[in-house]
């Protein structure tokens, strides 16, 4: 959460931010999350399942991954929120007052980032909860690598929420407040994930892949489209590749 607040601090100094920079940052965040989903979550899920499932060790990873995606789809459907793309924000602002969602644009942006943050916290909790069944240095270092990776992508995520709120006319403190509140679900998700795998060790492979599926859903449904719809396709894609490589190197080097 500390690095997330570094991103939030941008709203204290800047009222606007370059759309190109925002798209690069979202692409970077997407790359980090994709790499983390495989090396920190899916791959360990398959490894943990080998002792019990043998040739079927892929099954918990596949099932958990799909469940994570469907769970986020459900949350996405029932929780009103606003995508971070310039197009969606502009369309929301241009609607007549009686046609708008009852929630303000600030609240909708807040809910969007909150949806992003929950699977990230869940992933961290599950990764550290895995230490209860395997306390090897490799597992611990892998969990630390995941925390560092998610922390890095939290910087642009914090900026992506707080600066648009500031641009919308809100005060610096209010933008920072909304951003801080959206991060509360991360430790909640972390505690839930850690508790679940510590109490029920058998679900560990499913929990790891569930977190991966939830993160990939966020990436494909939100981060990538939002970074690709503002005319900055190439640089946003390069940002994704840099984020992916950075997280891959971090995970493999530490693991």
């Amino acid at each position: 959460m500390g690095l997330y607040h570094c991103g939030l601090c941008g709203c204290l100094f800047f009222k606007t931010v370059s759309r190109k920079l925002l798209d690069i940052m979202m692409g970077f965040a997407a790359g980090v999350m994709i790499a983390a989903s495989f090396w920190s979550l899916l791959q360990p899920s398959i490894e943990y399942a080998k002792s019990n499932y043998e040739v079927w060790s892929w099954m918990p990873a596949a099932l958990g991954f799909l469940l994570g995606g469907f769970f986020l789809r459900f949350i996405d459907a029932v929780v009103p929120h606003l995508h971070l793309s310039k197009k969606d924000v502009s369309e929301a602002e241009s609607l007549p007052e009686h046609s708008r969602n009852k929630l303000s644009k600030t609240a909708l942006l807040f809910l969007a980032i909150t949806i992003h943050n929950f699977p990230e916290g869940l992933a961290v909790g599950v990764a550290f909860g895995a230490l209860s069944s395997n306390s090897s240095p490799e597992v611990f270092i892998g969990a630390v690598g995941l925390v560092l990776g998610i922390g890095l992508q939290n910087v642009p995520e914090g900026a992506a929420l707080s600066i648009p709120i500031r641009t919308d006319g809100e005060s610096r403190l209010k933008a920072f407040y909304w951003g801080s509140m959206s991060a509360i679900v991360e430790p909640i998700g972390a505690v839930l994930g850690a508790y679940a795998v510590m109490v029920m060790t058998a679900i560990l492979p499913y929990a790891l892949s569930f977190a991966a599926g939830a993160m990939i859903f966020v990436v494909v449904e939100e981060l990538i489209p939002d970074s690709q719809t503002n005319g900055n396709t190439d640089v946003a894609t390069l940002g994704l590749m840099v984020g992916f490589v950075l997280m891959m190197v971090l995970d493999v080097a530490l693991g």
Side-chain angles (χ1 to χ4, degrees):
M1 284 180 64
L3 288 173
Y4 180 80
H5 282 82
C6 288
L8 291 180
C9 286
C11 71
L12 301 178
F13 304 102
F14 306 103
K15 191 171 182 178
T16 60
V17 65
S18 162
R19 186 68 229 186
K20 179 181 286 189
L21 177 60
L22 198 58
D23 288 342
I24 292 172
M25 291 193 299
M26 285 197 290
F28 176 85
V32 169
M33 290 176 72
I34 292 171
S37 294
F38 176 72
W39 275 283
S40 297
L41 298 169
L42 279 177
Q43 190 177 49
S45 170
I46 295 171
E47 290 298 320
Y48 279 116
K50 280 183 178 178
S51 59
N52 292 325
Y53 292 86
E54 298 180 349
V55 296
W56 295 90
S57 60
W58 53 267
M59 188 178 69
L63 183 59
F65 185 83
L66 291 174
L67 287 174
F70 280 112
F71 174 74
L72 256 290
R73 173 66 186 97
F74 172 75
I75 297 297
D76 192 65
V78 300
V79 177
H81 63 285
L82 188 65
H83 287 209
L84 297 173
S85 68
K86 185 177 180 180
K87 179 175 179 288
D88 283 359
V89 173
S90 299
E91 286 180 355
E93 290 174 338
S94 64
L95 287 174
E97 193 67 34
H98 66 276
S99 300
R100 293 188 187 184
N101 193 295
K102 291 181 180 179
L103 296 175
S104 67
K105 190 182 85 172
T106 296
L108 293 172
L109 285 169
F110 162 79
L111 289 170
I113 297 296
T114 301
I115 292 172
H116 292 187
N117 284 337
F118 180 76
E120 295 164 12
L122 183 67
V124 170
V126 169
F128 274 96
L131 290 168
S132 64
S133 59
N134 184 353
S135 57
S136 67
E138 291 80 9
V139 174
F140 175 75
I141 293 173
V144 171
L146 178 63
V147 170
L148 290 175
I150 288 180
L152 284 173
Q153 68 88 38
N154 272 342
V155 175
E157 213 167 64
L161 171 62
S162 60
I163 292 178
I165 291 175
R166 179 86 176 95
T167 304
D168 200 39
E170 301 291 354
S171 68
R172 292 180 177 87
L173 289 179
K174 192 166 185 179
F176 189 85
Y177 168 78
W178 277 100
S180 298
M181 291 301 293
S182 73
I184 285 179
V185 295
E186 277 201 25
I188 293 174
V191 170
L192 289 175
Y195 177 77
V197 298
M198 289 172 68
V199 173
M200 298 172 284
T201 307
I203 71 166
L204 179 57
Y206 296 94
L208 286 166
S209 55
F210 181 94
M215 285 175 61
I216 290 296
F217 183 91
V218 167
V219 168
V220 177
E221 202 271 341
E222 297 262 1
L223 292 180
I224 291 178
D226 290 352
S227 69
Q228 297 284 324
T229 55
N230 307 294
N232 301 312
T233 302
D234 291 342
V235 290
T237 302
L238 290 173
L240 185 150
M241 295 177 71
V242 170
F244 183 93
V245 169
L246 181 62
M247 184 63 205
M248 177 185 70
V249 171
L250 188 64
D251 206 305
V252 174
L254 290 179

